[in-house]
Amino acid sequence: MALFIDDDGTITMFQGDSGEIVVSGLDPDKSCDVYFAIQTKKRVPVGSELMVKSNFSDTVTFVLTADYTDLLTVPKNKEYEIYQYGIKICSDENEDTVFIANGDYGAVNQLIIYPKKVEGV
């Protein structure tokens, strides 16, 4: 899996590769739905939101399939393309957007996509 997440939450990967994103620190006393979504820089959604139920676990894992990341395109004249992503935790009581990049409202969680190098299977 060619997916790297740095300390500020920036995800870097190749278009068409698969990978896993682990969200930890959830309240194990509650069951919640955790959502993951990707947008372009102009806030246009890419693909469908992904949802995982925590089932009273303190972590959930999102699996980004090759088909899903193949939707993240890179213009031919660019070395890479920057998307943004968000994670939201929803329970009966709350809906909370998770802050990863610098922990403030103005920060953007970046997803840097490099063009596909080889098609594969």
Side-chain angles (χ1 to χ4, degrees), residues 3 11 13-17 36-40 44-47 64-75 80-85 111-116:
L3 181 151
I11 300 170
M13 65 184 307
F14 287 103
Q15 175 192 12
D17 279 6
F36 175 86
I38 299 172
Q39 299 178 341
T40 67
V44 176
V46 178
L64 305 185
T65 65
D67 287 339
Y68 188 71
T69 68
D70 211 29
L71 300 172
L72 305 170
T73 59
V74 180
Y80 58 86
E81 184 66 19
I82 298 176
Y83 291 84
Q84 52 193 14
Y85 71 93
L111 174 60
I112 300 172
I113 297 293
Y114 285 88
K116 189 182 296 190

Side-chain angles (χ1 to χ4, degrees), residues 20-26 30-36 50-63 87-89:
E20 294 182 352
I21 298 170
V22 177
V23 178
S24 57
L26 303 174
K30 295 181 181 178
S31 184
C32 57
D33 297 336
V34 184
Y35 293 86
F36 175 86
L50 305 178
M51 191 274 290
V52 178
K53 292 188 174 292
S54 71
N55 294 321
F56 300 98
S57 175
D58 64 346
T59 63
V60 296
T61 302
F62 289 100
V63 178
I87 297 172
K88 183 175 259 192
I89 301 169

